[in-house]
Amino acid sequence: MKPAEPFARFAYQRHADQARAKPASYPVVIIGAGPVGLTLAIDLKLRGIDCVLLDDQDRIGEGSRAICFAKRTLEIWDRLGCAAPMLDKGVRWNIGKVFQHEKLLYHFDLLPEPGHKMPAFINLQQYYAEKFLVDRAQALGVDLRWLNRVVGLQSGEQGACIVVETPDGSYSLDARYVIACDGARSPMRSMLGLEFMGEQFEDQFLIADVRMTAEFPVERWFWFDPPFHGGKSCLLHKQPDDVWRIDLQLSPDADTEYERRPEVVRPRIERMFGHGDFDLEWISVYRFQCRRLERFVHGAVIFAGDAAHQVSPFGARGANSGVQDADNLGWKIAAALRGRSGLIASYDQERSQAADENILHSTRATDFIAPRHKAEARFRNAALALARQTEFGKRFVNSGRLSTPTTYMASPLSTADDLPWAAGPTPGAPIPDAPLGNGYLSEYLGQGFALLHWRGGGEALYVEGLPMIAVSDHDEALIARFALTPGAAYLIRPDRHVAARFHNPEPAALAAALNKANAA
């Protein structure tokens, strides 16, 4: 099998900063042009913040890697103006099926209600997602520098200086904030001497991307003990271009180099499909970790994505949580540069909670899929047996709880409810999308705070500098999803989490909630 060709290659260009006698200074330098770094750079550019994005490579490609992008991630990219090509290219899905042996245990629907602009998930090879993000970044004029490797760092509370190595030699840059989006092996983490907390799992998994024409429905299929794979687990997903992602569980002591050989992989796939009419596109064997940094903010250096936390791939929580890091951080960096630096601490608090939640779900899924102890195996087998016989037993089966955004419990930016609510998103929760007027709520929200208000025959609300989104009596789905009563209002943050909600809002209470959410 030939090595994968880069999906796209970018020319190195010498920058004027490399000829300066003193380091150029920027508000933000981002390290790593993967999905997280690109998302953050685009977000900051749209907020009027100049940043430099450095990457030590000059290419996109070499395997599909992450493929499952969740509704929340798509909503973020839609806000940034780059979701449309992803939706056009991606494979949309919301149905998953779980099997034991060849028997269907149950199926689930991740988006059972209508009225959402974005699908529950799309499958899209990471190299496509990255290329669409690069296209958007270049169209906006983001300062994106390829073959620029960071090799040195001096950091303090008020800024940092980095040393960058290029084909033309080294140069230095000063920055108020340096954002490390440089991946699981983060050199920035090493430069600061930071260690992960958590555990590494011993089980190994084989990823094979195969190109073939097949009539399978566009669904997520997961097998426990499939008859074609020796009692281990298996996962099947469709990608664009007639490419299918297959994950096969291996033994902890399996020889990695042997398992990656095409002549070893091909017979396994042939047993799975009952034929050999396919081409192998990409093969990888991995062990995974569920770990995180104790803190994501270290003075002027801030970590995001895999550089800050790592999870197993079960549930598609890696890339999605990293993009949500960028979504949480972008507006706070912009505000901090304008004098509200207290918001940076809330990034650490909120995204640390998200990392813990993702690690918990990921660890539980891994323990169920690949039990490490006899007690775990007995529980799994009992749960699978119960699921074959009862409806409630299916809730115990865990083939990977799929990525959902975190509700920031006890966020320092949230204002507690003044009165009880029957339902609706609580303070700190992500808002649900819903039809509004002739479009969707997500289309009415911009880059800043907003007030969602159902006037209901009363007076319109007004808070200086705060855009209001008016709900009419005809917006029934939105009213139901937010549990609105006449006169009620939601204060929505720039990252589209709830800052506060009021049944009977007063301008002074709204202003106080806005100040708190702004760390003013």
mmCIF file of all heavy atoms in Angstrom, residues 63-69 89-93 122-129 207-214 216-219 235-247 281-282:
data_model
loop_
_atom_site.group_PDB
_atom_site.id
_atom_site.type_symbol
_atom_site.label_atom_id
_atom_site.label_comp_id
_atom_site.label_asym_id
_atom_site.label_seq_id
_atom_site.Cartn_x
_atom_site.Cartn_y
_atom_site.Cartn_z
ATOM 1 N N GLY A 63 -4.427 10.612 5.459
ATOM 2 C CA GLY A 63 -5.430 9.879 6.226
ATOM 3 C C GLY A 63 -6.599 10.733 6.629
ATOM 4 O O GLY A 63 -6.472 11.941 6.847
ATOM 5 N N SER A 64 -7.761 10.103 6.746
ATOM 6 C CA SER A 64 -8.981 10.861 7.006
ATOM 7 C C SER A 64 -9.091 11.311 8.454
ATOM 8 O O SER A 64 -9.735 12.294 8.766
ATOM 9 C CB SER A 64 -10.208 10.024 6.626
ATOM 10 O OG SER A 64 -10.258 8.843 7.383
ATOM 11 N N ARG A 65 -8.487 10.588 9.397
ATOM 12 C CA ARG A 65 -8.491 10.921 10.825
ATOM 13 C C ARG A 65 -9.910 11.162 11.327
ATOM 14 O O ARG A 65 -10.776 10.344 11.174
ATOM 15 C CB ARG A 65 -7.541 12.094 11.080
ATOM 16 C CG ARG A 65 -6.078 11.762 10.791
ATOM 17 C CD ARG A 65 -5.199 12.989 10.770
ATOM 18 N NE ARG A 65 -5.479 13.816 9.617
ATOM 19 C CZ ARG A 65 -5.146 15.091 9.489
ATOM 20 N NH1 ARG A 65 -4.531 15.693 10.485
ATOM 21 N NH2 ARG A 65 -5.414 15.775 8.402
ATOM 22 N N ALA A 66 -10.172 12.332 11.937
ATOM 23 C CA ALA A 66 -11.529 12.595 12.426
ATOM 24 C C ALA A 66 -12.493 12.660 11.252
ATOM 25 O O ALA A 66 -12.181 13.251 10.220
ATOM 26 C CB ALA A 66 -11.560 13.909 13.195
ATOM 27 N N ILE A 67 -13.666 12.059 11.421
ATOM 28 C CA ILE A 67 -14.645 12.108 10.324
ATOM 29 C C ILE A 67 -16.036 12.547 10.783
ATOM 30 O O ILE A 67 -16.831 12.976 9.949
ATOM 31 C CB ILE A 67 -14.769 10.757 9.587
ATOM 32 C CG1 ILE A 67 -15.317 9.669 10.527
ATOM 33 C CG2 ILE A 67 -13.460 10.350 8.957
ATOM 34 C CD1 ILE A 67 -15.784 8.423 9.787
ATOM 35 N N CYS A 68 -16.359 12.432 12.072
ATOM 36 C CA CYS A 68 -17.733 12.691 12.535
ATOM 37 C C CYS A 68 -17.814 14.075 13.163
ATOM 38 O O CYS A 68 -17.231 14.303 14.234
ATOM 39 C CB CYS A 68 -18.167 11.631 13.559
ATOM 40 S SG CYS A 68 -18.243 9.966 12.895
ATOM 41 N N PHE A 69 -18.533 14.972 12.512
ATOM 42 C CA PHE A 69 -18.673 16.336 13.029
ATOM 43 C C PHE A 69 -20.120 16.565 13.437
ATOM 44 O O PHE A 69 -21.053 16.382 12.652
ATOM 45 C CB PHE A 69 -18.211 17.341 11.984
ATOM 46 C CG PHE A 69 -16.739 17.210 11.678
ATOM 47 C CD1 PHE A 69 -16.307 16.660 10.477
ATOM 48 C CD2 PHE A 69 -15.787 17.589 12.605
ATOM 49 C CE1 PHE A 69 -14.962 16.507 10.206
ATOM 50 C CE2 PHE A 69 -14.431 17.446 12.344
ATOM 51 C CZ PHE A 69 -14.019 16.902 11.142
ATOM 52 N N LYS A 89 -20.502 18.579 0.858
ATOM 53 C CA LYS A 89 -19.622 17.424 0.636
ATOM 54 C C LYS A 89 -19.905 16.288 1.602
ATOM 55 O O LYS A 89 -19.760 15.105 1.244
ATOM 56 C CB LYS A 89 -18.159 17.865 0.781
ATOM 57 C CG LYS A 89 -17.148 16.780 0.439
ATOM 58 C CD LYS A 89 -17.199 16.421 -1.031
ATOM 59 C CE LYS A 89 -16.173 15.355 -1.381
ATOM 60 N NZ LYS A 89 -16.225 14.978 -2.807
ATOM 61 N N GLY A 90 -20.287 16.602 2.834
ATOM 62 C CA GLY A 90 -20.411 15.595 3.879
ATOM 63 C C GLY A 90 -21.593 14.667 3.695
ATOM 64 O O GLY A 90 -22.536 14.948 2.969
ATOM 65 N N VAL A 91 -21.522 13.543 4.400
ATOM 66 C CA VAL A 91 -22.607 12.558 4.439
ATOM 67 C C VAL A 91 -23.409 12.807 5.711
ATOM 68 O O VAL A 91 -22.896 12.668 6.823
ATOM 69 C CB VAL A 91 -22.039 11.123 4.432
ATOM 70 C CG1 VAL A 91 -23.155 10.102 4.605
ATOM 71 C CG2 VAL A 91 -21.275 10.856 3.136
ATOM 72 N N ARG A 92 -24.680 13.190 5.553
ATOM 73 C CA ARG A 92 -25.518 13.513 6.704
ATOM 74 C C ARG A 92 -26.125 12.237 7.287
ATOM 75 O O ARG A 92 -26.563 11.364 6.545
ATOM 76 C CB ARG A 92 -26.642 14.465 6.292
ATOM 77 C CG ARG A 92 -26.154 15.741 5.631
ATOM 78 C CD ARG A 92 -27.317 16.639 5.279
ATOM 79 N NE ARG A 92 -26.872 17.833 4.548
ATOM 80 C CZ ARG A 92 -27.459 19.011 4.621
ATOM 81 N NH1 ARG A 92 -28.530 19.168 5.392
ATOM 82 N NH2 ARG A 92 -27.003 20.041 3.929
ATOM 83 N N TRP A 93 -26.160 12.170 8.626
ATOM 84 C CA TRP A 93 -26.803 11.018 9.250
ATOM 85 C C TRP A 93 -27.289 11.379 10.646
ATOM 86 O O TRP A 93 -26.784 12.308 11.270
ATOM 87 C CB TRP A 93 -25.850 9.818 9.311
ATOM 88 C CG TRP A 93 -24.673 9.998 10.230
ATOM 89 C CD1 TRP A 93 -23.483 10.605 9.929
ATOM 90 C CD2 TRP A 93 -24.564 9.579 11.597
ATOM 91 N NE1 TRP A 93 -22.648 10.600 11.015
ATOM 92 C CE2 TRP A 93 -23.282 9.960 12.056
ATOM 93 C CE3 TRP A 93 -25.421 8.914 12.480
ATOM 94 C CZ2 TRP A 93 -22.849 9.697 13.353
ATOM 95 C CZ3 TRP A 93 -24.990 8.648 13.777
ATOM 96 C CH2 TRP A 93 -23.709 9.041 14.188
ATOM 97 N N ILE A 122 -22.509 15.092 10.385
ATOM 98 C CA ILE A 122 -22.056 14.735 9.052
ATOM 99 C C ILE A 122 -20.768 13.935 9.199
ATOM 100 O O ILE A 122 -20.004 14.126 10.158
ATOM 101 C CB ILE A 122 -21.809 15.950 8.135
ATOM 102 C CG1 ILE A 122 -20.670 16.834 8.669
ATOM 103 C CG2 ILE A 122 -23.072 16.753 7.929
ATOM 104 C CD1 ILE A 122 -20.187 17.876 7.644
ATOM 105 N N ASN A 123 -20.554 13.024 8.260
ATOM 106 C CA ASN A 123 -19.264 12.363 8.135
ATOM 107 C C ASN A 123 -18.501 13.038 7.006
ATOM 108 O O ASN A 123 -19.006 13.161 5.886
ATOM 109 C CB ASN A 123 -19.431 10.876 7.840
ATOM 110 C CG ASN A 123 -19.926 10.111 9.053
ATOM 111 O OD1 ASN A 123 -19.933 10.635 10.162
ATOM 112 N ND2 ASN A 123 -20.345 8.877 8.857
ATOM 113 N N LEU A 124 -17.313 13.489 7.325
ATOM 114 C CA LEU A 124 -16.489 14.218 6.367
ATOM 115 C C LEU A 124 -15.032 14.021 6.760
ATOM 116 O O LEU A 124 -14.657 14.273 7.908
ATOM 117 C CB LEU A 124 -16.847 15.708 6.404
ATOM 118 C CG LEU A 124 -16.081 16.622 5.451
ATOM 119 C CD1 LEU A 124 -16.516 16.379 4.009
ATOM 120 C CD2 LEU A 124 -16.301 18.095 5.827
ATOM 121 N N GLN A 125 -14.225 13.556 5.837
ATOM 122 C CA GLN A 125 -12.817 13.347 6.140
ATOM 123 C C GLN A 125 -12.192 14.650 6.641
ATOM 124 O O GLN A 125 -12.478 15.730 6.141
ATOM 125 C CB GLN A 125 -12.063 12.864 4.895
ATOM 126 C CG GLN A 125 -12.462 11.473 4.422
ATOM 127 C CD GLN A 125 -13.560 11.487 3.374
ATOM 128 O OE1 GLN A 125 -14.439 12.356 3.413
ATOM 129 N NE2 GLN A 125 -13.513 10.550 2.444
ATOM 130 N N GLN A 126 -11.319 14.522 7.642
ATOM 131 C CA GLN A 126 -10.737 15.717 8.253
ATOM 132 C C GLN A 126 -10.001 16.566 7.227
ATOM 133 O O GLN A 126 -9.992 17.799 7.343
ATOM 134 C CB GLN A 126 -9.789 15.330 9.392
ATOM 135 C CG GLN A 126 -9.228 16.530 10.149
ATOM 136 C CD GLN A 126 -8.461 16.142 11.387
ATOM 137 O OE1 GLN A 126 -8.777 15.166 12.050
ATOM 138 N NE2 GLN A 126 -7.416 16.889 11.694
ATOM 139 N N TYR A 127 -9.404 15.948 6.220
ATOM 140 C CA TYR A 127 -8.679 16.764 5.250
ATOM 141 C C TYR A 127 -9.620 17.664 4.451
ATOM 142 O O TYR A 127 -9.234 18.780 4.060
ATOM 143 C CB TYR A 127 -7.808 15.918 4.322
ATOM 144 C CG TYR A 127 -8.435 14.709 3.666
ATOM 145 C CD1 TYR A 127 -9.336 14.832 2.625
ATOM 146 C CD2 TYR A 127 -8.069 13.429 4.080
ATOM 147 C CE1 TYR A 127 -9.885 13.716 2.010
ATOM 148 C CE2 TYR A 127 -8.604 12.301 3.472
ATOM 149 C CZ TYR A 127 -9.505 12.443 2.437
ATOM 150 O OH TYR A 127 -10.046 11.335 1.825
ATOM 151 N N TYR A 128 -10.858 17.245 4.223
ATOM 152 C CA TYR A 128 -11.825 18.143 3.592
ATOM 153 C C TYR A 128 -12.181 19.289 4.537
ATOM 154 O O TYR A 128 -12.222 20.461 4.136
ATOM 155 C CB TYR A 128 -13.092 17.386 3.202
ATOM 156 C CG TYR A 128 -13.021 16.630 1.901
ATOM 157 C CD1 TYR A 128 -13.259 15.265 1.860
ATOM 158 C CD2 TYR A 128 -12.727 17.281 0.706
ATOM 159 C CE1 TYR A 128 -13.196 14.559 0.665
ATOM 160 C CE2 TYR A 128 -12.667 16.582 -0.490
ATOM 161 C CZ TYR A 128 -12.905 15.219 -0.505
ATOM 162 O OH TYR A 128 -12.850 14.529 -1.682
ATOM 163 N N ALA A 129 -12.483 18.947 5.788
ATOM 164 C CA ALA A 129 -12.847 19.993 6.754
ATOM 165 C C ALA A 129 -11.733 21.026 6.874
ATOM 166 O O ALA A 129 -11.983 22.244 6.875
ATOM 167 C CB ALA A 129 -13.149 19.363 8.112
ATOM 168 N N ILE A 207 -7.986 1.067 12.283
ATOM 169 C CA ILE A 207 -8.827 1.876 11.406
ATOM 170 C C ILE A 207 -8.471 1.527 9.968
ATOM 171 O O ILE A 207 -7.293 1.531 9.594
ATOM 172 C CB ILE A 207 -8.605 3.377 11.623
ATOM 173 C CG1 ILE A 207 -9.158 3.823 12.974
ATOM 174 C CG2 ILE A 207 -9.272 4.183 10.516
ATOM 175 C CD1 ILE A 207 -8.928 5.287 13.263
ATOM 176 N N ALA A 208 -9.479 1.232 9.187
ATOM 177 C CA ALA A 208 -9.284 1.016 7.755
ATOM 178 C C ALA A 208 -10.315 1.833 6.996
ATOM 179 O O ALA A 208 -11.511 1.718 7.261
ATOM 180 C CB ALA A 208 -9.417 -0.468 7.412
ATOM 181 N N ASP A 209 -9.851 2.672 6.093
ATOM 182 C CA ASP A 209 -10.742 3.362 5.158
ATOM 183 C C ASP A 209 -10.691 2.598 3.840
ATOM 184 O O ASP A 209 -9.608 2.409 3.271
ATOM 185 C CB ASP A 209 -10.288 4.802 4.931
ATOM 186 C CG ASP A 209 -10.651 5.717 6.087
ATOM 187 O OD1 ASP A 209 -11.350 5.257 7.006
ATOM 188 O OD2 ASP A 209 -10.240 6.891 6.071
ATOM 189 N N VAL A 210 -11.855 2.159 3.370
ATOM 190 C CA VAL A 210 -11.902 1.391 2.132
ATOM 191 C C VAL A 210 -12.826 2.092 1.149
ATOM 192 O O VAL A 210 -13.842 2.677 1.533
ATOM 193 C CB VAL A 210 -12.379 -0.064 2.372
ATOM 194 C CG1 VAL A 210 -11.483 -0.760 3.386
ATOM 195 C CG2 VAL A 210 -13.823 -0.115 2.841
ATOM 196 N N ARG A 211 -12.447 2.047 -0.110
ATOM 197 C CA ARG A 211 -13.267 2.637 -1.163
ATOM 198 C C ARG A 211 -14.033 1.522 -1.870
ATOM 199 O O ARG A 211 -13.431 0.572 -2.398
ATOM 200 C CB ARG A 211 -12.406 3.390 -2.163
ATOM 201 C CG ARG A 211 -13.228 4.166 -3.208
ATOM 202 C CD ARG A 211 -12.309 4.830 -4.229
ATOM 203 N NE ARG A 211 -11.459 5.831 -3.601
ATOM 204 C CZ ARG A 211 -11.800 7.098 -3.415
ATOM 205 N NH1 ARG A 211 -13.008 7.516 -3.790
ATOM 206 N NH2 ARG A 211 -10.975 7.950 -2.851
ATOM 207 N N MET A 212 -15.357 1.635 -1.864
ATOM 208 C CA MET A 212 -16.174 0.635 -2.538
ATOM 209 C C MET A 212 -17.575 1.200 -2.751
ATOM 210 O O MET A 212 -17.993 2.136 -2.066
ATOM 211 C CB MET A 212 -16.261 -0.659 -1.726
ATOM 212 C CG MET A 212 -17.022 -0.539 -0.434
ATOM 213 S SD MET A 212 -17.195 -2.123 0.411
ATOM 214 C CE MET A 212 -18.190 -1.626 1.827
ATOM 215 N N THR A 213 -18.284 0.619 -3.696
ATOM 216 C CA THR A 213 -19.682 0.947 -3.919
ATOM 217 C C THR A 213 -20.529 -0.027 -3.126
ATOM 218 O O THR A 213 -20.369 -1.242 -3.251
ATOM 219 C CB THR A 213 -20.037 0.857 -5.409
ATOM 220 O OG1 THR A 213 -19.191 1.756 -6.129
ATOM 221 C CG2 THR A 213 -21.482 1.239 -5.635
ATOM 222 N N ALA A 214 -21.404 0.496 -2.259
ATOM 223 C CA ALA A 214 -22.230 -0.361 -1.409
ATOM 224 C C ALA A 214 -23.585 0.285 -1.209
ATOM 225 O O ALA A 214 -23.718 1.511 -1.275
ATOM 226 C CB ALA A 214 -21.558 -0.600 -0.058
ATOM 227 N N PHE A 216 -25.418 0.024 1.587
ATOM 228 C CA PHE A 216 -25.770 0.176 2.992
ATOM 229 C C PHE A 216 -26.402 1.549 3.225
ATOM 230 O O PHE A 216 -26.010 2.535 2.604
ATOM 231 C CB PHE A 216 -24.542 0.052 3.890
ATOM 232 C CG PHE A 216 -23.794 -1.235 3.739
ATOM 233 C CD1 PHE A 216 -22.421 -1.241 3.554
ATOM 234 C CD2 PHE A 216 -24.446 -2.451 3.788
ATOM 235 C CE1 PHE A 216 -21.719 -2.413 3.420
ATOM 236 C CE2 PHE A 216 -23.760 -3.639 3.655
ATOM 237 C CZ PHE A 216 -22.385 -3.614 3.463
ATOM 238 N N PRO A 217 -27.372 1.656 4.136
ATOM 239 C CA PRO A 217 -27.940 2.967 4.453
ATOM 240 C C PRO A 217 -26.909 3.858 5.146
ATOM 241 O O PRO A 217 -25.926 3.367 5.703
ATOM 242 C CB PRO A 217 -29.114 2.632 5.379
ATOM 243 C CG PRO A 217 -28.783 1.295 5.956
ATOM 244 C CD PRO A 217 -28.005 0.565 4.906
ATOM 245 N N VAL A 218 -27.154 5.151 5.089
ATOM 246 C CA VAL A 218 -26.232 6.110 5.707
ATOM 247 C C VAL A 218 -26.547 6.163 7.203
ATOM 248 O O VAL A 218 -27.309 7.015 7.669
ATOM 249 C CB VAL A 218 -26.358 7.490 5.052
ATOM 250 C CG1 VAL A 218 -25.370 8.463 5.683
ATOM 251 C CG2 VAL A 218 -26.106 7.385 3.556
ATOM 252 N N GLU A 219 -25.960 5.247 7.941
ATOM 253 C CA GLU A 219 -26.203 5.096 9.371
ATOM 254 C C GLU A 219 -24.902 4.705 10.051
ATOM 255 O O GLU A 219 -23.954 4.231 9.401
ATOM 256 C CB GLU A 219 -27.262 4.009 9.626
ATOM 257 C CG GLU A 219 -28.618 4.312 9.013
ATOM 258 C CD GLU A 219 -29.574 3.128 9.064
ATOM 259 O OE1 GLU A 219 -29.124 1.985 9.342
ATOM 260 O OE2 GLU A 219 -30.780 3.337 8.825
ATOM 261 N N LEU A 235 -17.025 -1.090 14.082
ATOM 262 C CA LEU A 235 -17.801 0.110 13.792
ATOM 263 C C LEU A 235 -17.693 0.413 12.303
ATOM 264 O O LEU A 235 -16.613 0.304 11.715
ATOM 265 C CB LEU A 235 -17.261 1.298 14.601
ATOM 266 C CG LEU A 235 -17.901 2.676 14.400
ATOM 267 C CD1 LEU A 235 -19.340 2.683 14.860
ATOM 268 C CD2 LEU A 235 -17.102 3.745 15.142
ATOM 269 N N LEU A 236 -18.831 0.797 11.693
ATOM 270 C CA LEU A 236 -18.860 1.103 10.266
ATOM 271 C C LEU A 236 -19.535 2.455 10.045
ATOM 272 O O LEU A 236 -20.631 2.703 10.561
ATOM 273 C CB LEU A 236 -19.624 0.022 9.496
ATOM 274 C CG LEU A 236 -19.811 0.246 7.987
ATOM 275 C CD1 LEU A 236 -18.480 0.140 7.263
ATOM 276 C CD2 LEU A 236 -20.811 -0.756 7.421
ATOM 277 N N HIS A 237 -18.879 3.331 9.265
ATOM 278 C CA HIS A 237 -19.401 4.643 8.893
ATOM 279 C C HIS A 237 -19.159 4.880 7.416
ATOM 280 O O HIS A 237 -18.116 4.499 6.882
ATOM 281 C CB HIS A 237 -18.659 5.764 9.641
ATOM 282 C CG HIS A 237 -19.280 6.168 10.932
ATOM 283 N ND1 HIS A 237 -20.480 6.836 11.015
ATOM 284 C CD2 HIS A 237 -18.846 6.039 12.206
ATOM 285 C CE1 HIS A 237 -20.745 7.091 12.287
ATOM 286 N NE2 HIS A 237 -19.775 6.624 13.024
ATOM 287 N N LYS A 238 -20.097 5.570 6.763
ATOM 288 C CA LYS A 238 -19.883 6.000 5.393
ATOM 289 C C LYS A 238 -19.318 7.404 5.354
ATOM 290 O O LYS A 238 -19.750 8.291 6.083
ATOM 291 C CB LYS A 238 -21.182 5.954 4.590
ATOM 292 C CG LYS A 238 -20.959 6.287 3.111
ATOM 293 C CD LYS A 238 -22.225 6.209 2.282
ATOM 294 C CE LYS A 238 -21.913 6.496 0.817
ATOM 295 N NZ LYS A 238 -23.123 6.437 -0.040
ATOM 296 N N GLN A 239 -18.341 7.621 4.447
ATOM 297 C CA GLN A 239 -17.761 8.919 4.197
ATOM 298 C C GLN A 239 -18.039 9.325 2.751
ATOM 299 O O GLN A 239 -18.495 8.522 1.945
ATOM 300 C CB GLN A 239 -16.242 8.874 4.425
ATOM 301 C CG GLN A 239 -15.827 8.375 5.801
ATOM 302 C CD GLN A 239 -14.323 8.262 5.915
ATOM 303 O OE1 GLN A 239 -13.608 9.251 5.843
ATOM 304 N NE2 GLN A 239 -13.828 7.041 6.100
ATOM 305 N N PRO A 240 -17.741 10.580 2.400
ATOM 306 C CA PRO A 240 -17.866 10.967 0.996
ATOM 307 C C PRO A 240 -16.928 10.164 0.088
ATOM 308 O O PRO A 240 -15.992 9.521 0.555
ATOM 309 C CB PRO A 240 -17.468 12.455 1.010
ATOM 310 C CG PRO A 240 -17.724 12.898 2.404
ATOM 311 C CD PRO A 240 -17.425 11.724 3.269
ATOM 312 N N ASP A 241 -17.195 10.219 -1.201
ATOM 313 C CA ASP A 241 -16.358 9.604 -2.236
ATOM 314 C C ASP A 241 -16.382 8.079 -2.176
ATOM 315 O O ASP A 241 -15.412 7.417 -2.542
ATOM 316 C CB ASP A 241 -14.896 10.083 -2.136
ATOM 317 C CG ASP A 241 -14.771 11.594 -2.149
ATOM 318 O OD1 ASP A 241 -15.600 12.248 -2.810
ATOM 319 O OD2 ASP A 241 -13.848 12.106 -1.502
ATOM 320 N N ASP A 242 -17.504 7.495 -1.683
ATOM 321 C CA ASP A 242 -17.625 6.043 -1.580
ATOM 322 C C ASP A 242 -16.535 5.428 -0.710
ATOM 323 O O ASP A 242 -16.047 4.328 -0.972
ATOM 324 C CB ASP A 242 -17.604 5.390 -2.971
ATOM 325 C CG ASP A 242 -18.884 5.632 -3.732
ATOM 326 O OD1 ASP A 242 -19.961 5.665 -3.096
ATOM 327 O OD2 ASP A 242 -18.830 5.801 -4.962
ATOM 328 N N VAL A 243 -16.149 6.152 0.325
ATOM 329 C CA VAL A 243 -15.167 5.644 1.284
ATOM 330 C C VAL A 243 -15.896 5.269 2.564
ATOM 331 O O VAL A 243 -16.766 6.006 3.040
ATOM 332 C CB VAL A 243 -14.069 6.685 1.576
ATOM 333 C CG1 VAL A 243 -13.127 6.184 2.664
ATOM 334 C CG2 VAL A 243 -13.286 6.994 0.307
ATOM 335 N N TRP A 244 -15.536 4.114 3.127
ATOM 336 C CA TRP A 244 -16.170 3.600 4.340
ATOM 337 C C TRP A 244 -15.113 3.458 5.423
ATOM 338 O O TRP A 244 -14.045 2.888 5.197
ATOM 339 C CB TRP A 244 -16.839 2.246 4.076
ATOM 340 C CG TRP A 244 -17.941 2.335 3.069
ATOM 341 C CD1 TRP A 244 -17.814 2.404 1.711
ATOM 342 C CD2 TRP A 244 -19.338 2.402 3.338
ATOM 343 N NE1 TRP A 244 -19.049 2.503 1.116
ATOM 344 C CE2 TRP A 244 -20.009 2.498 2.091
ATOM 345 C CE3 TRP A 244 -20.105 2.367 4.506
ATOM 346 C CZ2 TRP A 244 -21.391 2.576 1.988
ATOM 347 C CZ3 TRP A 244 -21.482 2.454 4.403
ATOM 348 C CH2 TRP A 244 -22.113 2.558 3.158
ATOM 349 N N ARG A 245 -15.416 3.986 6.599
ATOM 350 C CA ARG A 245 -14.534 3.874 7.761
ATOM 351 C C ARG A 245 -14.917 2.626 8.552
ATOM 352 O O ARG A 245 -16.066 2.433 8.924
ATOM 353 C CB ARG A 245 -14.665 5.117 8.645
ATOM 354 C CG ARG A 245 -14.167 4.987 10.088
ATOM 355 C CD ARG A 245 -12.667 4.793 10.203
ATOM 356 N NE ARG A 245 -11.928 5.854 9.583
ATOM 357 C CZ ARG A 245 -11.656 7.016 10.172
ATOM 358 N NH1 ARG A 245 -12.068 7.257 11.403
ATOM 359 N NH2 ARG A 245 -10.950 7.934 9.543
ATOM 360 N N ILE A 246 -13.923 1.794 8.840
ATOM 361 C CA ILE A 246 -14.118 0.582 9.628
ATOM 362 C C ILE A 246 -13.156 0.627 10.806
ATOM 363 O O ILE A 246 -11.950 0.835 10.625
ATOM 364 C CB ILE A 246 -13.859 -0.681 8.777
ATOM 365 C CG1 ILE A 246 -14.803 -0.713 7.574
ATOM 366 C CG2 ILE A 246 -14.015 -1.935 9.615
ATOM 367 C CD1 ILE A 246 -14.351 -1.639 6.473
ATOM 368 N N ASP A 247 -13.670 0.466 12.016
ATOM 369 C CA ASP A 247 -12.863 0.319 13.228
ATOM 370 C C ASP A 247 -12.999 -1.106 13.717
ATOM 371 O O ASP A 247 -14.118 -1.566 13.984
ATOM 372 C CB ASP A 247 -13.345 1.270 14.322
ATOM 373 C CG ASP A 247 -12.894 2.696 14.116
ATOM 374 O OD1 ASP A 247 -13.154 3.249 13.042
ATOM 375 O OD2 ASP A 247 -12.286 3.247 15.046
ATOM 376 N N GLU A 281 -7.744 2.469 1.348
ATOM 377 C CA GLU A 281 -7.325 3.861 1.217
ATOM 378 C C GLU A 281 -6.324 4.268 2.300
ATOM 379 O O GLU A 281 -5.397 5.022 2.045
ATOM 380 C CB GLU A 281 -8.547 4.778 1.311
ATOM 381 C CG GLU A 281 -9.499 4.679 0.147
ATOM 382 C CD GLU A 281 -9.051 5.525 -1.014
ATOM 383 O OE1 GLU A 281 -8.774 6.728 -0.812
ATOM 384 O OE2 GLU A 281 -8.952 4.982 -2.124
ATOM 385 N N TRP A 282 -6.563 3.799 3.510
ATOM 386 C CA TRP A 282 -5.750 4.255 4.651
ATOM 387 C C TRP A 282 -5.878 3.236 5.762
ATOM 388 O O TRP A 282 -6.964 2.691 5.998
ATOM 389 C CB TRP A 282 -6.247 5.628 5.116
ATOM 390 C CG TRP A 282 -5.463 6.249 6.241
ATOM 391 C CD1 TRP A 282 -4.142 6.543 6.260
ATOM 392 C CD2 TRP A 282 -5.976 6.682 7.519
ATOM 393 N NE1 TRP A 282 -3.787 7.132 7.445
ATOM 394 C CE2 TRP A 282 -4.898 7.230 8.237
ATOM 395 C CE3 TRP A 282 -7.234 6.665 8.106
ATOM 396 C CZ2 TRP A 282 -5.029 7.756 9.513
ATOM 397 C CZ3 TRP A 282 -7.369 7.196 9.382
ATOM 398 C CH2 TRP A 282 -6.288 7.729 10.075
#
